[in-house]
Amino acid sequence: MTTHLPSADPGYRERVLRGARGALTGLALGDALGMPTQSMSAEQIDEYYGGPIHGLLDAVPEQPIAPGMKAGAVTDDTEQAFVLARRLIEGDGDLDNAQYARDLLDWEAKMKAKGSLDLLGPSTMAALHALEEGVSIEDTGKLGTTNGGAMRAAPIGIAFAPSAPDRLLARMARESCLVTHNTVQGIQATMLVAAAVSFGIEGVDDPLRHAVEYVEQSHVRAHWSAKASVLRRVRTWLRWATAGDGASVTTARFADALQYDCGTSVESSESVAAAFAIVARFGNDPTEALCFAASLGGDTDTMAAMAGAMLGAQHGPEAFDEAMRTQVTGQLLADNGLDLDATAQALGEIRLATLC
């Protein structure tokens, strides 16, 4: 008796490659929409941009991280996701963490040479500097509770299906965190985003709920931190957005709750929970979801990038505004040398190979 393999199904292959392109497109578009507002308050966004974000904008000189950056440009969220993608592709689905660490350091050196202020995040920078000083990879990320692992999780979600043998999706999400975010919070955050992307590509109903259940069953082992559980906060805010008070409130009240009750900082327990709530609220209008995230204040580029990856995996690249996505993907290749379609194709092939 021959067992049917989904990788042999032309329809499945097409869905994987469409979802892969969608995830990377959403990641980059969300990042670009949030670039001008990152690390700014909602009040500052209103002051300098005239209200909520509805399109790609040049960053104002007062932008604290990317002053003057041109409309459609991406930040470290997209750049570092592609660093991870390249490492997975060159390793045929394996991840050499020592080389991955060198890749991240090389990337930062190039950014410094260009005069960029958009460098490694606090957890990643501290971890890589510790690695340079001889600290073991198992210990370099022991303080990493921020969203650096989650923001670059999309390639993991593309490359590994939830049904891959030996819980490969969970193992590779954890593996990608070891150097920089080897905490329960960092790994849960990365698993959640990767799983939401992966289930979105599979075409299941309610990929967010499936992602939460998948991580609940994954029994994360990592360094302990007293900070809030990312898994519990994502579950709480997802429930609030879909079946609680958040399901019926106005958009303004929804934003207020995320800003002041959930939080929108670089901490995974805040920004990842907010991204899941945004996807749940605006799941039928992906472009509006990313504009909303870009207008919240706080870590806007990362929230929008994570939301974009999850929505793009589920709906495909065409779900986003055509003019905006065309501009961003064009600049991604011209300005950053990053080929979105080729990267999506290669990651999709890894996924298909693991299911053979």
Side-chain angles (χ1 to χ4, degrees), residues 106-129:
D106 289 345
W107 172 82
E108 184 180 48
K110 290 176 184 176
M111 293 301 102
K112 286 181 177 178
K114 288 166 45 177
S116 175
L117 299 178
D118 198 10
L119 304 173
L120 297 169
S123 296
T124 299
M125 186 181 300
L128 293 178
H129 289 169

Side-chain angles (χ1 to χ4, degrees), residues 16 19-28 76-90 92-95 100 148-162 168-170 172-174 176 190-191 193-199 201 305-306 308-310 313 338-340 342-352 354:
V16 166
R21 290 192 299 274
L24 294 184
T25 299
L27 166 74
D76 61 323
D77 296 61
T78 301
E79 289 261 14
Q80 289 186 40
F82 273 75
V83 170
L84 175 57
R86 184 174 67 248
R87 182 51 40 216
L88 289 170
I89 292 165
E90 292 184 2
D92 292 324
D94 290 330
L95 182 60
Y100 179 39
M151 77 181 192
R152 50 186 186 246
I156 298 290
I158 296 169
F160 305 104
L168 187 58
L169 172 62
M172 293 306 296
R174 178 182 181 274
S176 73
T190 304
M191 280 188 186
V193 176
V197 168
S198 195
F199 278 110
I201 291 173
M306 293 186 294
M310 292 187 274
L338 301 176
D339 189 327
L340 188 148
T343 302
Q345 174 84 25
L347 291 171
E349 295 296 345
I350 292 173
R351 186 190 191 98
L352 295 167
T354 65

Side-chain angles (χ1 to χ4, degrees), residues 56 61 77 91 99 114 155 179 202 221 252 273 285 338 353:
L56 300 167
D77 296 61
Q99 183 58 56
K114 288 166 45 177
V179 175
E202 290 296 299
R221 301 183 314 278
D285 192 343
L338 301 176

Side-chain angles (χ1 to χ4, degrees), residues 31 108 129 153 166 174 177 222-223 264 297:
D31 187 12
E108 184 180 48
H129 289 169
D166 302 321
R174 178 182 181 274
C177 290
H223 290 281
T264 60

Side-chain angles (χ1 to χ4, degrees), residues 21 53 66 75 169 214 218 253:
R21 290 192 299 274
I53 303 302
T75 78
L169 172 62
Y214 182 86
S218 295
R253 174 68 187 104

Side-chain angles (χ1 to χ4, degrees), residues 199-248:
F199 278 110
I201 291 173
E202 290 296 299
V204 303
D205 291 334
D206 199 354
L208 302 184
R209 177 179 60 81
H210 279 81
V212 169
E213 292 175 352
Y214 182 86
V215 177
E216 284 175 338
Q217 298 164 8
S218 295
H219 308 298
V220 172
R221 301 183 314 278
H223 290 281
W224 177 84
S225 166
K227 294 180 181 178
S229 165
V230 177
L231 179 59
R232 289 193 180 190
R233 284 181 57 80
V234 165
R235 190 169 54 206
T236 296
W237 283 95
L238 189 55
R239 187 184 304 118
W240 175 83
T242 55
D245 293 341
S248 57

Side-chain angles (χ1 to χ4, degrees), residues 321-342:
D321 179 87
E322 183 177 7
M324 284 197 281
R325 63 181 164 87
T326 299
Q327 179 178 341
V328 170
T329 55
Q331 287 180 219
L332 195 64
L333 181 60
D335 297 344
N336 306 82
L338 301 176
D339 189 327
L340 188 148
D341 285 340

